[in-house]
Amino acid sequence: GENVEQHPSTLSVQEGDSAVIKCTYSDSASNYFPWYKQELGKGPQLIIDIRSNVGEKKDQRIAVTLNKTAKHFSLHITETQPEDSAVYFCAANSNYQLIWGAGTKLIIKP
Amino acid sequence: DSGVTQTPKHLITATGQRVTLRCSPRSGDLSVYWYQQSLDQGLQFLIQYYNGEERAKGNILERFSAQQFPDLHSELNLSSLELGDSALYFCASSVAWQAQETQYFGPGTRLLVL
């Protein structure tokens, strides 16, 4: 069935540096790719999403890129701050459902 | 605050027991999703309801069941509980049923089975 793979499982970066999380998907019909952020003790929250008709989308320090040919999409966070520490989940739609990646724990070192 | 409420926040019970988790979606949202998140694990999609009808089913065990009521709140019933059912259970809601809809997650119910 449809699968979304997410890497790395843990990412530790120095405060102020950039962080990149990558996901690959298998369903060529997928056309919606959201990213959710889960802070400690809370439920996930949508931070950015991209649809297949665009290759990149930015929102302040966050950007998402999509390569439909290679079936992968990435989350880029620039100028990381302590409040970026969280677990990040990618997802892709398939057969009217969202298929979720396993999550990436992002650690921002002071 | 997402506008999604879940009760109770914490639940401790014994193996073999049955529990009910409750979710109230955001005002205006017709779709409700249930997820299970075990320690250091990702989100496992269990089931989705839309306007009272089951819309999609994920990796939900036969011991688990859910329903959505006419007022749109939803309940997840977990029976014959096992130690491995200990987890965080999240409810999420969205306006419509399509996968492209933003899902708004509640704070979760932490279940501990002893």
PDB file of all heavy atoms in Angstrom, chain A residues 26-57:
ATOM      1  N   SER A  26       4.964   7.025  -2.141  1.00  0.00           N
ATOM      2  CA  SER A  26       4.935   6.017  -3.207  1.00  0.00           C
ATOM      3  C   SER A  26       3.755   6.163  -4.170  1.00  0.00           C
ATOM      4  O   SER A  26       3.830   5.685  -5.311  1.00  0.00           O
ATOM      5  CB  SER A  26       4.907   4.612  -2.584  1.00  0.00           C
ATOM      6  OG  SER A  26       3.793   4.456  -1.726  1.00  0.00           O
ATOM      7  N   ASP A  27       2.690   6.831  -3.759  1.00  0.00           N
ATOM      8  CA  ASP A  27       1.503   6.940  -4.617  1.00  0.00           C
ATOM      9  C   ASP A  27       1.656   8.111  -5.594  1.00  0.00           C
ATOM     10  O   ASP A  27       1.655   9.267  -5.168  1.00  0.00           O
ATOM     11  CB  ASP A  27       0.266   7.138  -3.747  1.00  0.00           C
ATOM     12  CG  ASP A  27      -1.027   7.133  -4.558  1.00  0.00           C
ATOM     13  OD1 ASP A  27      -0.965   7.100  -5.816  1.00  0.00           O
ATOM     14  OD2 ASP A  27      -2.107   7.185  -3.939  1.00  0.00           O
ATOM     15  N   SER A  28       1.778   7.811  -6.842  1.00  0.00           N
ATOM     16  CA  SER A  28       1.982   8.876  -7.842  1.00  0.00           C
ATOM     17  C   SER A  28       0.768   9.789  -7.970  1.00  0.00           C
ATOM     18  O   SER A  28       0.861  10.871  -8.541  1.00  0.00           O
ATOM     19  CB  SER A  28       2.314   8.254  -9.203  1.00  0.00           C
ATOM     20  OG  SER A  28       1.288   7.365  -9.589  1.00  0.00           O
ATOM     21  N   ALA A  29      -0.370   9.377  -7.435  1.00  0.00           N
ATOM     22  CA  ALA A  29      -1.569  10.213  -7.491  1.00  0.00           C
ATOM     23  C   ALA A  29      -1.644  11.218  -6.337  1.00  0.00           C
ATOM     24  O   ALA A  29      -2.515  12.088  -6.331  1.00  0.00           O
ATOM     25  CB  ALA A  29      -2.816   9.337  -7.480  1.00  0.00           C
ATOM     26  N   SER A  30      -0.758  11.124  -5.381  1.00  0.00           N
ATOM     27  CA  SER A  30      -0.764  12.063  -4.255  1.00  0.00           C
ATOM     28  C   SER A  30      -0.565  13.481  -4.762  1.00  0.00           C
ATOM     29  O   SER A  30       0.294  13.736  -5.614  1.00  0.00           O
ATOM     30  CB  SER A  30       0.345  11.713  -3.257  1.00  0.00           C
ATOM     31  OG  SER A  30       0.113  10.462  -2.648  1.00  0.00           O
ATOM     32  N   ASN A  31      -1.359  14.422  -4.237  1.00  0.00           N
ATOM     33  CA  ASN A  31      -1.232  15.809  -4.691  1.00  0.00           C
ATOM     34  C   ASN A  31      -1.322  16.819  -3.558  1.00  0.00           C
ATOM     35  O   ASN A  31      -1.453  18.021  -3.782  1.00  0.00           O
ATOM     36  CB  ASN A  31      -2.289  16.125  -5.758  1.00  0.00           C
ATOM     37  CG  ASN A  31      -3.698  15.928  -5.238  1.00  0.00           C
ATOM     38  OD1 ASN A  31      -3.908  15.672  -4.051  1.00  0.00           O
ATOM     39  ND2 ASN A  31      -4.675  16.044  -6.119  1.00  0.00           N
ATOM     40  N   TYR A  32      -1.260  16.334  -2.314  1.00  0.00           N
ATOM     41  CA  TYR A  32      -1.348  17.236  -1.161  1.00  0.00           C
ATOM     42  C   TYR A  32      -0.380  16.743  -0.096  1.00  0.00           C
ATOM     43  O   TYR A  32      -0.403  15.557   0.286  1.00  0.00           O
ATOM     44  CB  TYR A  32      -2.782  17.255  -0.618  1.00  0.00           C
ATOM     45  CG  TYR A  32      -2.941  18.067   0.647  1.00  0.00           C
ATOM     46  CD1 TYR A  32      -2.752  19.442   0.643  1.00  0.00           C
ATOM     47  CD2 TYR A  32      -3.276  17.446   1.849  1.00  0.00           C
ATOM     48  CE1 TYR A  32      -2.888  20.180   1.798  1.00  0.00           C
ATOM     49  CE2 TYR A  32      -3.411  18.173   3.014  1.00  0.00           C
ATOM     50  CZ  TYR A  32      -3.215  19.539   2.983  1.00  0.00           C
ATOM     51  OH  TYR A  32      -3.351  20.275   4.126  1.00  0.00           O
ATOM     52  N   PHE A  33       0.480  17.671   0.384  1.00  0.00           N
ATOM     53  CA  PHE A  33       1.586  17.274   1.263  1.00  0.00           C
ATOM     54  C   PHE A  33       1.690  18.273   2.423  1.00  0.00           C
ATOM     55  O   PHE A  33       2.333  19.314   2.312  1.00  0.00           O
ATOM     56  CB  PHE A  33       2.901  17.230   0.471  1.00  0.00           C
ATOM     57  CG  PHE A  33       2.780  16.421  -0.787  1.00  0.00           C
ATOM     58  CD1 PHE A  33       2.427  17.021  -1.986  1.00  0.00           C
ATOM     59  CD2 PHE A  33       3.018  15.060  -0.774  1.00  0.00           C
ATOM     60  CE1 PHE A  33       2.290  16.279  -3.156  1.00  0.00           C
ATOM     61  CE2 PHE A  33       2.899  14.303  -1.929  1.00  0.00           C
ATOM     62  CZ  PHE A  33       2.536  14.907  -3.126  1.00  0.00           C
ATOM     63  N   PRO A  34       1.078  17.945   3.556  1.00  0.00           N
ATOM     64  CA  PRO A  34       1.159  18.845   4.708  1.00  0.00           C
ATOM     65  C   PRO A  34       2.297  18.470   5.654  1.00  0.00           C
ATOM     66  O   PRO A  34       2.766  17.329   5.666  1.00  0.00           O
ATOM     67  CB  PRO A  34      -0.198  18.633   5.390  1.00  0.00           C
ATOM     68  CG  PRO A  34      -0.503  17.186   5.110  1.00  0.00           C
ATOM     69  CD  PRO A  34       0.102  16.884   3.754  1.00  0.00           C
ATOM     70  N   TRP A  35       2.692  19.453   6.446  1.00  0.00           N
ATOM     71  CA  TRP A  35       3.660  19.236   7.524  1.00  0.00           C
ATOM     72  C   TRP A  35       3.014  19.694   8.826  1.00  0.00           C
ATOM     73  O   TRP A  35       2.468  20.786   8.905  1.00  0.00           O
ATOM     74  CB  TRP A  35       4.942  20.038   7.292  1.00  0.00           C
ATOM     75  CG  TRP A  35       5.808  19.464   6.219  1.00  0.00           C
ATOM     76  CD1 TRP A  35       5.759  19.750   4.885  1.00  0.00           C
ATOM     77  CD2 TRP A  35       6.869  18.517   6.391  1.00  0.00           C
ATOM     78  NE1 TRP A  35       6.723  19.033   4.212  1.00  0.00           N
ATOM     79  CE2 TRP A  35       7.416  18.276   5.108  1.00  0.00           C
ATOM     80  CE3 TRP A  35       7.420  17.861   7.486  1.00  0.00           C
ATOM     81  CZ2 TRP A  35       8.482  17.393   4.910  1.00  0.00           C
ATOM     82  CZ3 TRP A  35       8.483  16.989   7.280  1.00  0.00           C
ATOM     83  CH2 TRP A  35       8.997  16.752   6.007  1.00  0.00           C
ATOM     84  N   TYR A  36       3.105  18.831   9.843  1.00  0.00           N
ATOM     85  CA  TYR A  36       2.555  19.135  11.154  1.00  0.00           C
ATOM     86  C   TYR A  36       3.678  19.164  12.179  1.00  0.00           C
ATOM     87  O   TYR A  36       4.636  18.388  12.109  1.00  0.00           O
ATOM     88  CB  TYR A  36       1.513  18.087  11.564  1.00  0.00           C
ATOM     89  CG  TYR A  36       0.164  18.248  10.910  1.00  0.00           C
ATOM     90  CD1 TYR A  36      -0.038  17.899   9.578  1.00  0.00           C
ATOM     91  CD2 TYR A  36      -0.912  18.755  11.624  1.00  0.00           C
ATOM     92  CE1 TYR A  36      -1.265  18.048   8.971  1.00  0.00           C
ATOM     93  CE2 TYR A  36      -2.163  18.910  11.032  1.00  0.00           C
ATOM     94  CZ  TYR A  36      -2.335  18.555   9.712  1.00  0.00           C
ATOM     95  OH  TYR A  36      -3.560  18.707   9.114  1.00  0.00           O
ATOM     96  N   LYS A  37       3.531  20.038  13.155  1.00  0.00           N
ATOM     97  CA  LYS A  37       4.496  20.184  14.243  1.00  0.00           C
ATOM     98  C   LYS A  37       3.819  19.789  15.546  1.00  0.00           C
ATOM     99  O   LYS A  37       2.713  20.263  15.837  1.00  0.00           O
ATOM    100  CB  LYS A  37       4.975  21.635  14.322  1.00  0.00           C
ATOM    101  CG  LYS A  37       5.886  21.964  15.496  1.00  0.00           C
ATOM    102  CD  LYS A  37       6.197  23.464  15.503  1.00  0.00           C
ATOM    103  CE  LYS A  37       7.109  23.851  16.652  1.00  0.00           C
ATOM    104  NZ  LYS A  37       7.365  25.314  16.687  1.00  0.00           N
ATOM    105  N   GLN A  38       4.475  18.904  16.301  1.00  0.00           N
ATOM    106  CA  GLN A  38       3.926  18.488  17.587  1.00  0.00           C
ATOM    107  C   GLN A  38       4.880  18.905  18.701  1.00  0.00           C
ATOM    108  O   GLN A  38       5.961  18.329  18.848  1.00  0.00           O
ATOM    109  CB  GLN A  38       3.689  16.982  17.639  1.00  0.00           C
ATOM    110  CG  GLN A  38       3.019  16.525  18.934  1.00  0.00           C
ATOM    111  CD  GLN A  38       2.750  15.039  18.969  1.00  0.00           C
ATOM    112  OE1 GLN A  38       3.349  14.247  18.249  1.00  0.00           O
ATOM    113  NE2 GLN A  38       1.813  14.633  19.801  1.00  0.00           N
ATOM    114  N   GLU A  39       4.473  19.869  19.473  1.00  0.00           N
ATOM    115  CA  GLU A  39       5.250  20.297  20.629  1.00  0.00           C
ATOM    116  C   GLU A  39       4.970  19.351  21.792  1.00  0.00           C
ATOM    117  O   GLU A  39       3.940  18.663  21.824  1.00  0.00           O
ATOM    118  CB  GLU A  39       4.917  21.741  20.989  1.00  0.00           C
ATOM    119  CG  GLU A  39       5.303  22.716  19.876  1.00  0.00           C
ATOM    120  CD  GLU A  39       4.933  24.152  20.193  1.00  0.00           C
ATOM    121  OE1 GLU A  39       4.197  24.379  21.175  1.00  0.00           O
ATOM    122  OE2 GLU A  39       5.379  25.044  19.464  1.00  0.00           O
ATOM    123  N   LEU A  40       5.879  19.344  22.740  1.00  0.00           N
ATOM    124  CA  LEU A  40       5.781  18.417  23.864  1.00  0.00           C
ATOM    125  C   LEU A  40       4.463  18.595  24.607  1.00  0.00           C
ATOM    126  O   LEU A  40       4.088  19.714  24.986  1.00  0.00           O
ATOM    127  CB  LEU A  40       6.956  18.648  24.815  1.00  0.00           C
ATOM    128  CG  LEU A  40       7.222  17.546  25.843  1.00  0.00           C
ATOM    129  CD1 LEU A  40       7.564  16.233  25.148  1.00  0.00           C
ATOM    130  CD2 LEU A  40       8.345  17.964  26.781  1.00  0.00           C
ATOM    131  N   GLY A  41       3.738  17.500  24.768  1.00  0.00           N
ATOM    132  CA  GLY A  41       2.494  17.537  25.529  1.00  0.00           C
ATOM    133  C   GLY A  41       1.301  18.089  24.776  1.00  0.00           C
ATOM    134  O   GLY A  41       0.241  18.313  25.365  1.00  0.00           O
ATOM    135  N   LYS A  42       1.460  18.294  23.474  1.00  0.00           N
ATOM    136  CA  LYS A  42       0.355  18.856  22.688  1.00  0.00           C
ATOM    137  C   LYS A  42       0.034  17.979  21.486  1.00  0.00           C
ATOM    138  O   LYS A  42       0.785  17.074  21.132  1.00  0.00           O
ATOM    139  CB  LYS A  42       0.703  20.260  22.213  1.00  0.00           C
ATOM    140  CG  LYS A  42       0.902  21.266  23.339  1.00  0.00           C
ATOM    141  CD  LYS A  42       1.140  22.655  22.783  1.00  0.00           C
ATOM    142  CE  LYS A  42       1.285  23.683  23.884  1.00  0.00           C
ATOM    143  NZ  LYS A  42       1.496  25.052  23.356  1.00  0.00           N
ATOM    144  N   GLY A  43      -1.078  18.279  20.862  1.00  0.00           N
ATOM    145  CA  GLY A  43      -1.414  17.608  19.617  1.00  0.00           C
ATOM    146  C   GLY A  43      -0.709  18.265  18.443  1.00  0.00           C
ATOM    147  O   GLY A  43      -0.283  19.417  18.527  1.00  0.00           O
ATOM    148  N   PRO A  44      -0.547  17.546  17.334  1.00  0.00           N
ATOM    149  CA  PRO A  44       0.093  18.134  16.155  1.00  0.00           C
ATOM    150  C   PRO A  44      -0.694  19.331  15.621  1.00  0.00           C
ATOM    151  O   PRO A  44      -1.905  19.421  15.788  1.00  0.00           O
ATOM    152  CB  PRO A  44       0.079  16.979  15.144  1.00  0.00           C
ATOM    153  CG  PRO A  44      -0.041  15.742  15.972  1.00  0.00           C
ATOM    154  CD  PRO A  44      -0.890  16.133  17.141  1.00  0.00           C
ATOM    155  N   GLN A  45       0.049  20.224  14.961  1.00  0.00           N
ATOM    156  CA  GLN A  45      -0.564  21.424  14.393  1.00  0.00           C
ATOM    157  C   GLN A  45       0.017  21.643  13.008  1.00  0.00           C
ATOM    158  O   GLN A  45       1.237  21.576  12.818  1.00  0.00           O
ATOM    159  CB  GLN A  45      -0.285  22.625  15.300  1.00  0.00           C
ATOM    160  CG  GLN A  45      -0.874  23.928  14.814  1.00  0.00           C
ATOM    161  CD  GLN A  45      -0.571  25.077  15.766  1.00  0.00           C
ATOM    162  OE1 GLN A  45       0.266  24.968  16.649  1.00  0.00           O
ATOM    163  NE2 GLN A  45      -1.270  26.185  15.600  1.00  0.00           N
ATOM    164  N   LEU A  46      -0.841  21.927  12.046  1.00  0.00           N
ATOM    165  CA  LEU A  46      -0.384  22.199  10.684  1.00  0.00           C
ATOM    166  C   LEU A  46       0.484  23.455  10.658  1.00  0.00           C
ATOM    167  O   LEU A  46       0.098  24.492  11.190  1.00  0.00           O
ATOM    168  CB  LEU A  46      -1.572  22.389   9.749  1.00  0.00           C
ATOM    169  CG  LEU A  46      -1.231  22.713   8.294  1.00  0.00           C
ATOM    170  CD1 LEU A  46      -0.675  21.480   7.594  1.00  0.00           C
ATOM    171  CD2 LEU A  46      -2.453  23.252   7.540  1.00  0.00           C
ATOM    172  N   ILE A  47       1.672  23.349  10.030  1.00  0.00           N
ATOM    173  CA  ILE A  47       2.529  24.533   9.926  1.00  0.00           C
ATOM    174  C   ILE A  47       2.667  25.002   8.480  1.00  0.00           C
ATOM    175  O   ILE A  47       2.840  26.193   8.229  1.00  0.00           O
ATOM    176  CB  ILE A  47       3.928  24.287  10.524  1.00  0.00           C
ATOM    177  CG1 ILE A  47       4.608  23.054   9.916  1.00  0.00           C
ATOM    178  CG2 ILE A  47       3.841  24.182  12.041  1.00  0.00           C
ATOM    179  CD1 ILE A  47       6.060  22.901  10.334  1.00  0.00           C
ATOM    180  N   ILE A  48       2.586  24.107   7.536  1.00  0.00           N
ATOM    181  CA  ILE A  48       2.667  24.475   6.134  1.00  0.00           C
ATOM    182  C   ILE A  48       2.230  23.282   5.289  1.00  0.00           C
ATOM    183  O   ILE A  48       2.346  22.131   5.734  1.00  0.00           O
ATOM    184  CB  ILE A  48       4.098  24.921   5.753  1.00  0.00           C
ATOM    185  CG1 ILE A  48       4.122  25.658   4.403  1.00  0.00           C
ATOM    186  CG2 ILE A  48       5.071  23.758   5.759  1.00  0.00           C
ATOM    187  CD1 ILE A  48       5.426  26.395   4.118  1.00  0.00           C
ATOM    188  N   ASP A  49       1.699  23.550   4.123  1.00  0.00           N
ATOM    189  CA  ASP A  49       1.351  22.474   3.212  1.00  0.00           C
ATOM    190  C   ASP A  49       1.636  22.905   1.782  1.00  0.00           C
ATOM    191  O   ASP A  49       1.810  24.090   1.503  1.00  0.00           O
ATOM    192  CB  ASP A  49      -0.107  22.027   3.380  1.00  0.00           C
ATOM    193  CG  ASP A  49      -1.105  23.167   3.164  1.00  0.00           C
ATOM    194  OD1 ASP A  49      -0.726  24.225   2.618  1.00  0.00           O
ATOM    195  OD2 ASP A  49      -2.274  23.003   3.558  1.00  0.00           O
ATOM    196  N   ILE A  50       1.713  21.936   0.895  1.00  0.00           N
ATOM    197  CA  ILE A  50       1.977  22.243  -0.508  1.00  0.00           C
ATOM    198  C   ILE A  50       1.144  21.307  -1.375  1.00  0.00           C
ATOM    199  O   ILE A  50       0.922  20.147  -1.016  1.00  0.00           O
ATOM    200  CB  ILE A  50       3.486  22.131  -0.830  1.00  0.00           C
ATOM    201  CG1 ILE A  50       3.791  22.701  -2.221  1.00  0.00           C
ATOM    202  CG2 ILE A  50       3.974  20.688  -0.712  1.00  0.00           C
ATOM    203  CD1 ILE A  50       5.281  22.880  -2.483  1.00  0.00           C
ATOM    204  N   ARG A  51       0.690  21.840  -2.484  1.00  0.00           N
ATOM    205  CA  ARG A  51      -0.059  21.021  -3.427  1.00  0.00           C
ATOM    206  C   ARG A  51       0.785  20.809  -4.663  1.00  0.00           C
ATOM    207  O   ARG A  51       1.735  21.544  -4.918  1.00  0.00           O
ATOM    208  CB  ARG A  51      -1.397  21.693  -3.739  1.00  0.00           C
ATOM    209  CG  ARG A  51      -2.267  21.796  -2.503  1.00  0.00           C
ATOM    210  CD  ARG A  51      -3.521  22.606  -2.677  1.00  0.00           C
ATOM    211  NE  ARG A  51      -4.088  22.922  -1.374  1.00  0.00           N
ATOM    212  CZ  ARG A  51      -4.999  22.180  -0.742  1.00  0.00           C
ATOM    213  NH1 ARG A  51      -5.452  21.080  -1.306  1.00  0.00           N
ATOM    214  NH2 ARG A  51      -5.449  22.533   0.451  1.00  0.00           N
ATOM    215  N   SER A  52       0.398  19.820  -5.459  1.00  0.00           N
ATOM    216  CA  SER A  52       1.294  19.367  -6.522  1.00  0.00           C
ATOM    217  C   SER A  52       1.444  20.345  -7.668  1.00  0.00           C
ATOM    218  O   SER A  52       2.291  20.150  -8.538  1.00  0.00           O
ATOM    219  CB  SER A  52       0.812  18.019  -7.067  1.00  0.00           C
ATOM    220  OG  SER A  52      -0.496  18.152  -7.591  1.00  0.00           O
ATOM    221  N   ASN A  53       0.657  21.409  -7.681  1.00  0.00           N
ATOM    222  CA  ASN A  53       0.775  22.352  -8.790  1.00  0.00           C
ATOM    223  C   ASN A  53       1.864  23.400  -8.565  1.00  0.00           C
ATOM    224  O   ASN A  53       2.079  24.272  -9.405  1.00  0.00           O
ATOM    225  CB  ASN A  53      -0.567  23.045  -9.059  1.00  0.00           C
ATOM    226  CG  ASN A  53      -1.111  23.734  -7.826  1.00  0.00           C
ATOM    227  OD1 ASN A  53      -0.675  23.468  -6.713  1.00  0.00           O
ATOM    228  ND2 ASN A  53      -2.069  24.612  -8.024  1.00  0.00           N
ATOM    229  N   VAL A  54       2.548  23.319  -7.410  1.00  0.00           N
ATOM    230  CA  VAL A  54       3.664  24.229  -7.142  1.00  0.00           C
ATOM    231  C   VAL A  54       4.867  23.419  -6.673  1.00  0.00           C
ATOM    232  O   VAL A  54       4.724  22.314  -6.170  1.00  0.00           O
ATOM    233  CB  VAL A  54       3.317  25.298  -6.090  1.00  0.00           C
ATOM    234  CG1 VAL A  54       2.211  26.197  -6.580  1.00  0.00           C
ATOM    235  CG2 VAL A  54       2.928  24.654  -4.782  1.00  0.00           C
ATOM    236  N   GLY A  55       6.053  23.996  -6.856  1.00  0.00           N
ATOM    237  CA  GLY A  55       7.259  23.279  -6.468  1.00  0.00           C
ATOM    238  C   GLY A  55       7.831  23.730  -5.135  1.00  0.00           C
ATOM    239  O   GLY A  55       8.610  23.020  -4.522  1.00  0.00           O
ATOM    240  N   GLU A  56       7.415  24.935  -4.686  1.00  0.00           N
ATOM    241  CA  GLU A  56       7.957  25.459  -3.437  1.00  0.00           C
ATOM    242  C   GLU A  56       6.955  26.427  -2.827  1.00  0.00           C
ATOM    243  O   GLU A  56       6.230  27.126  -3.532  1.00  0.00           O
ATOM    244  CB  GLU A  56       9.283  26.176  -3.678  1.00  0.00           C
ATOM    245  CG  GLU A  56       9.964  26.665  -2.404  1.00  0.00           C
ATOM    246  CD  GLU A  56      11.336  27.292  -2.651  1.00  0.00           C
ATOM    247  OE1 GLU A  56      11.706  27.445  -3.836  1.00  0.00           O
ATOM    248  OE2 GLU A  56      12.022  27.617  -1.681  1.00  0.00           O
ATOM    249  N   LYS A  57       6.958  26.439  -1.505  1.00  0.00           N
ATOM    250  CA  LYS A  57       6.092  27.367  -0.776  1.00  0.00           C
ATOM    251  C   LYS A  57       6.837  27.830   0.462  1.00  0.00           C
ATOM    252  O   LYS A  57       7.483  27.018   1.134  1.00  0.00           O
ATOM    253  CB  LYS A  57       4.783  26.674  -0.395  1.00  0.00           C
ATOM    254  CG  LYS A  57       3.761  27.569   0.271  1.00  0.00           C
ATOM    255  CD  LYS A  57       2.485  26.784   0.529  1.00  0.00           C
ATOM    256  CE  LYS A  57       1.430  27.613   1.228  1.00  0.00           C
ATOM    257  NZ  LYS A  57       0.193  26.827   1.475  1.00  0.00           N
TER     258      LYS A  57
END
